Amino acid sequence: MGRIKVMSIFGTRPEAIKMAPLLLELSRRDEIESICCLTAQHREMLDGVMHLFDIKAQYDLNIMEPGQTLATITTKALNGLGAVLETAVPDLVLVHGDTTTTFAGALSAFYNRIPVGHVEAGLRSGDLYSPYPEELNRKLTSQIAALHFAPTARNADNLRREGITDGVFVTGNTVIDAMAYTVPRFSGTFGSEIDQIDWGRRKVVALTCHRRENYGEPMTQIFTAVKTLVERHSDVEVVYPVHLSPAVQGAARSILGGVDRIHLIHPLDTVQMHALLSRCHLVLTDSGGIQEEAPALGKPVLVLRRETERPEACDAGTVRLAGVSGPDILELAEELLTDQNAYQAMAQAVNPYGDGTASRRIADAILWHFGKQSEKPADFSPGSDR
Ligand code: UD1
Ligand code: UDP
């Protein structure tokens, strides 16, 4: 066998952020030909990440459309990917996480009898409808994949409980590798209205909220709690880079638009987002990736969801599940804003999700699987150095 042809398929912002360091690593390996195929389920939010990490895609299906449904994303991705896989014929397809692109990418590879490696495998909330549709996407992807790159030992245990024992590697999460790239690159300014904030005197709350299961009443509850928080605490300022989804834009603007000390801004590039997370006082989010990033930066996180598939930082004490009821969110946020002890107990830097070498471990695992390397990579465990 010559060089191993590895095709990475992804399409949304978080997949791109977490696949970028792996693509850079794969391109450094002589034994691997790395190919990138975008579904472009997202467009602007994806392109920003590609630009930031200076990664070029060989294939781009450009499927995004306003008001896309789960069915249209799936069918457009499946149709486009079929043709790409027939042309490129990779030895391995890599998909990431739990989006519709993830599942469509894995299914397309299966239809073409190409083995799949699943990056960020084994996360489970235990509730098929929350996060929706992500919990099903990742479970179905696990059924298809031959290689499972689980960020933590707990994620690997989830797979074992489902009878998946072969091809499981504990690697850490590539998001920690991505942060090693982004954090040193901050220029010191955001280039927007938030540069006017007096970061020393204000308590800045970084907010993100975009999940489909939070559309409607949960978002109304969340945004109303945030508005009340700002009205009650004159030292609080909220920075919310609003996801480009029209459903989210509409809800955010109707409740939080024009409110003093609430900044609804365009999505930040990832260097700026990580700078916001490291400068802010507190994080309110329903994002998956931010639950992994903020603890590494020593920031308390209140998760605006009923469940999480990322319990490691909850156990470490830096993340708490706040739920989606306005009064509950308000109470927890106020406690952290007014009780120094409660705040300090949560504001510790913890890193259960990786040591910055996940991409290296994944590349090594691929080489080992294809018989190009004799040594199997050691599993990641928090606190261990490689
Ligand atoms: C998707 C993923 C979700 C992930 C999120 C990350 C699915 C079902 N959902 O959700 O798991 O957490 O991405 O952000 O795969 N839009 C733009 N420009 C962009 C991106 C989005 O205009 O660059 C708008 C489009 O109108 C699009 C809408 O946002 O139709 C929703 O995008 P979509 O990918 O369907 O859902 P997300 O909520 O982003
Ligand atoms: N992010 C970003 N700019 C923003 C908001 C988020 O770069 O304005 C990054 C964030 O730091 C994290 C990722 O996007 O790495 C999370 O993406 P998102 O919340 O959209 O999806 P999820 O992780 O919930 O799937």
Side-chain angles (χ1 to χ4, degrees), residues 301-321:
V301 180
L302 295 181
V303 177
L304 308 169
R305 291 166 53 175
R306 292 195 187 87
E307 43 49 47
T308 181
E309 59 290 273
R310 293 167 169 88
E312 293 86 354
C314 293
D315 290 351
T318 65
V319 168
R320 283 180 78 174
L321 267 184

Side-chain angles (χ1 to χ4, degrees), residues 189-256:
T189 58
F190 293 92
S192 75
E193 66 186 59
I194 65 172
D195 282 325
Q196 309 309 318
I197 295 173
D198 185 344
W199 297 81
R201 298 176 65 165
R202 298 289 202 187
K203 287 181 173 159
V204 174
V205 175
L207 168 68
T208 81
C209 187
H210 75 280
R211 305 220 73 83
R212 280 173 191 253
E213 70 274 12
N214 277 344
Y215 287 3
E217 182 57 20
M219 266 187 200
T220 303
Q221 293 270 331
I222 291 165
F223 294 153
T224 305
V226 169
K227 189 175 173 196
T228 309
L229 190 71
V230 168
E231 285 165 355
R232 285 197 195 163
H233 299 269
S234 58
D235 57 344
V236 167
E237 204 137 351
V238 172
V239 178
Y240 178 8
V242 188
H243 192 288
L244 295 179
S245 160
V248 180
Q249 289 274 338
R253 297 201 184 279
S254 75
I255 300 173
L256 301 175

Side-chain angles (χ1 to χ4, degrees), residues 25-344:
E25 181 66 30
L26 294 176
S27 68
R28 284 193 282 268
R29 303 297 179 111
D30 292 339
E31 307 88 340
I32 290 176
E33 179 187 351
S34 175
I35 307 167
C36 175
C37 174
L38 303 176
T39 61
Q41 175 180 334
H42 286 174
R43 190 71 275 170
E44 308 91 300
M45 286 162 55
L46 173 71
D47 291 344
V49 182
M50 298 298 284
H51 179 71
L52 185 65
F53 285 87
D54 195 19
I55 293 170
K56 309 271 180 288
Q58 282 73 28
Y59 300 92
D60 188 334
L61 303 180
N62 198 27
I63 66 168
M64 192 191 86
E65 60 190 25
Q68 59 197 9
T69 64
L70 299 178
T72 59
I73 305 169
T74 310
T75 49
K76 284 174 92 173
L78 274 177
N79 285 333
L81 289 170
V84 168
L85 290 172
E86 271 175 36
T87 309
V89 200
D91 300 301
L92 178 71
V93 160
L94 293 180
V95 294
H96 180 280
D98 53 21
T99 70
T100 298
T101 287
T102 312
F103 172 56
L107 187 59
S108 288
F110 172 73
Y111 285 162
N112 286 274
R113 297 176 189 273
I114 298 165
V116 171
H118 186 198
V119 182
E120 198 177 87
L123 280 70
R124 297 288 184 268
S125 71
D127 180 346
L128 211 51
Y129 283 88
S130 188
Y132 168 86
E134 290 82 2
E135 179 80 352
L136 182 66
N137 286 339
R138 54 197 175 210
K139 289 183 86 167
L140 294 173
T141 303
S142 294
Q143 293 303 310
I144 296 172
L147 302 177
H148 310 262
F149 304 113
T152 69
R154 207 159 171 158
N155 302 147
D157 286 343
N158 289 338
L159 292 170
R160 283 189 199 104
R161 265 196 295 278
E162 293 173 12
I164 298 166
T165 51
D166 289 344
V168 178
F169 301 83
V170 181
T171 60
N173 198 307
T174 55
V175 77
I176 305 296
D177 309 14
M179 290 173 80
Y181 184 96
T182 55
V183 169
R185 282 179 166 75
F186 184 56
S187 70
T189 58
F190 293 92
S192 75
E193 66 186 59
I194 65 172
D195 282 325
Q196 309 309 318
I197 295 173
D198 185 344
W199 297 81
R201 298 176 65 165
R202 298 289 202 187
K203 287 181 173 159
V204 174
V205 175
L207 168 68
T208 81
C209 187
H210 75 280
R211 305 220 73 83
R212 280 173 191 253
E213 70 274 12
N214 277 344
Y215 287 3
E217 182 57 20
M219 266 187 200
T220 303
Q221 293 270 331
I222 291 165
F223 294 153
T224 305
V226 169
K227 189 175 173 196
T228 309
L229 190 71
V230 168
E231 285 165 355
R232 285 197 195 163
H233 299 269
S234 58
D235 57 344
V236 167
E237 204 137 351
V238 172
V239 178
Y240 178 8
V242 188
H243 192 288
L244 295 179
S245 160
V248 180
Q249 289 274 338
R253 297 201 184 279
S254 75
I255 300 173
L256 301 175
V259 178
D260 200 24
R261 286 178 284 113
I262 295 185
H263 305 271
L264 302 183
I265 58 172
H266 196 73
L268 291 169
D269 77 38
T270 306
V271 165
Q272 293 182 342
M273 187 64 200
H274 290 165
L276 171 64
L277 293 177
S278 76
R279 281 180 161 206
C280 73
H281 186 73
L282 170 66
V283 180
L284 301 186
T285 191
D286 67 357
S287 161
I290 293 173
Q291 290 178 59
E292 297 152 347
E293 294 162 345
L297 296 166
K299 294 305 151 98
V301 180
L302 295 181
V303 177
L304 308 169
R305 291 166 53 175
R306 292 195 187 87
E307 43 49 47
T308 181
E309 59 290 273
R310 293 167 169 88
E312 293 86 354
C314 293
D315 290 351
T318 65
V319 168
R320 283 180 78 174
L321 267 184
V324 291
S325 132
D328 291 351
I329 295 164
L330 190 58
E331 188 183 329
L332 283 172
E334 287 195 310
E335 186 191 1
L336 290 174
L337 289 170
T338 55
D339 179 342
Q340 263 302 313
N341 292 333
Y343 181 85
Q344 286 307 333

